[in-house]
Coordinates of all heavy atoms in Angstrom, one line a residue:
S43 N 18.4 13.3 -27.9 CA 18.8 12.2 -26.9 C 18.2 12.5 -25.6 O 17.8 13.7 -25.3 CB 20.3 12.1 -26.8 OG 20.8 13.3 -26.2
S44 N 18.0 11.6 -24.8 CA 17.5 11.7 -23.4 C 18.6 11.8 -22.5 O 19.6 11.1 -22.6 CB 16.6 10.6 -23.0 OG 15.5 10.5 -23.9
S45 N 18.5 12.6 -21.5 CA 19.5 12.7 -20.5 C 18.9 12.5 -19.1 O 17.8 13.0 -18.8 CB 20.3 14.0 -20.5 OG 19.4 15.1 -20.2
F46 N 19.5 11.7 -18.2 CA 19.0 11.5 -16.9 C 19.7 12.3 -15.9 O 20.9 12.5 -15.9 CB 19.2 10.0 -16.6 CG 18.7 9.7 -15.2 CD1 17.4 9.4 -14.9 CD2 19.7 9.6 -14.1 CE1 17.0 9.2 -13.6 CE2 19.2 9.4 -12.8 CZ 17.9 9.2 -12.6
N47 N 18.9 12.9 -15.0 CA 19.5 13.6 -13.8 C 18.9 13.0 -12.6 O 17.7 12.7 -12.5 CB 19.1 15.1 -13.9 CG 19.8 15.8 -15.0 OD1 20.9 15.6 -15.2 ND2 19.0 16.7 -15.7
P48 N 19.7 12.7 -11.6 CA 19.2 12.1 -10.3 C 18.1 13.1 -9.7 O 18.2 14.3 -9.8 CB 20.4 12.0 -9.4 CG 21.6 12.1 -10.4 CD 21.2 12.9 -11.5
F49 N 17.1 12.5 -9.0 CA 16.1 13.2 -8.5 C 15.5 12.6 -7.2 O 15.7 11.4 -7.0 CB 14.9 13.5 -9.5 CG 14.3 12.2 -10.0 CD1 13.2 11.6 -9.3 CD2 14.8 11.6 -11.1 CE1 12.7 10.5 -9.8 CE2 14.3 10.4 -11.6 CZ 13.2 9.9 -11.0
W50 N 14.9 13.4 -6.3 CA 14.2 13.0 -5.1 C 12.8 12.9 -5.5 O 12.3 13.7 -6.3 CB 14.4 14.0 -4.0 CG 15.7 13.9 -3.3 CD1 16.8 14.7 -3.6 CD2 16.2 13.0 -2.3 NE1 17.9 14.4 -2.8 CE2 17.5 13.3 -2.0 CE3 15.6 12.0 -1.6 CZ2 18.3 12.7 -1.1 CZ3 16.3 11.3 -0.7 CH2 17.6 11.7 -0.4
Y51 N 12.0 12.0 -4.8 CA 10.6 12.1 -5.0 C 9.8 11.6 -3.8 O 10.4 11.0 -2.9 CB 10.1 11.2 -6.2 CG 10.5 9.7 -6.1 CD1 9.5 8.8 -5.5 CD2 11.7 9.2 -6.4 CE1 9.8 7.5 -5.3 CE2 12.0 7.8 -6.3 CZ 11.1 7.0 -5.8 OH 11.3 5.7 -5.6
F52 N 8.6 12.1 -3.7 CA 7.7 11.7 -2.6 C 6.5 10.9 -3.2 O 6.1 11.1 -4.4 CB 7.1 12.9 -1.9 CG 8.2 13.7 -1.2 CD1 8.8 14.8 -1.8 CD2 8.6 13.3 0.1 CE1 9.8 15.4 -1.1 CE2 9.6 14.0 0.8 CZ 10.2 15.1 0.1
Q53 N 6.0 10.0 -2.5 CA 4.9 9.2 -3.0 C 3.9 9.0 -1.9 O 4.2 9.0 -0.7 CB 5.3 7.8 -3.5 CG 6.1 6.9 -2.5 CD 6.6 5.7 -3.2 OE1 6.6 5.6 -4.4 NE2 7.2 4.8 -2.4
G54 N 2.6 8.7 -2.3 CA 1.6 8.4 -1.3 C 0.5 7.6 -2.0 O 0.3 7.7 -3.2
A55 N -0.2 6.7 -1.3 CA -1.3 6.0 -1.7 C -2.2 5.7 -0.6 O -1.9 5.6 0.5 CB -0.7 4.6 -2.3
I56 N -3.5 5.7 -1.0 CA -4.6 5.4 0.0 C -5.7 4.6 -0.8 O -5.9 4.9 -2.0 CB -5.1 6.7 0.6 CG1 -6.0 6.3 1.8 CG2 -5.8 7.6 -0.4 CD1 -6.3 7.4 2.7
G57 N -6.2 3.7 -0.2 CA -7.3 2.9 -0.8 C -8.0 1.9 0.0 O -7.7 1.8 1.2
P58 N -8.9 1.2 -0.5 CA -9.7 0.2 0.2 C -8.8 -1.1 0.5 O -7.9 -1.5 -0.3 CB -10.9 -0.1 -0.7 CG -10.4 0.1 -2.1 CD -9.4 1.2 -1.9
S59 N -9.1 -1.8 1.6 CA -8.5 -3.0 1.9 C -9.6 -4.1 2.1 O -10.6 -3.8 2.7 CB -7.6 -2.9 3.1 OG -8.3 -2.6 4.2
F60 N -9.4 -5.3 1.6 CA -10.3 -6.4 1.8 C -9.5 -7.5 2.5 O -8.3 -7.7 2.2 CB -10.7 -6.9 0.5 CG -11.4 -5.9 -0.4 CD1 -10.7 -5.2 -1.3 CD2 -12.7 -5.5 -0.1 CE1 -11.3 -4.2 -2.1 CE2 -13.3 -4.5 -0.9 CZ -12.6 -3.9 -1.9
S61 N -10.1 -8.3 3.3 CA -9.4 -9.3 4.1 C -9.7 -10.7 3.2 O -10.8 -10.9 2.8 CB -10.0 -9.5 5.5 OG -9.5 -10.7 6.0

Side-chain angles (χ1 to χ4, degrees):
S43 65
S44 298
S45 64
F46 175 83
N47 292 319
F49 58 91
W50 287 95
Y51 62 93
F52 294 94
Q53 60 187 3
I56 191 166
S59 64
F60 305 98
S61 171

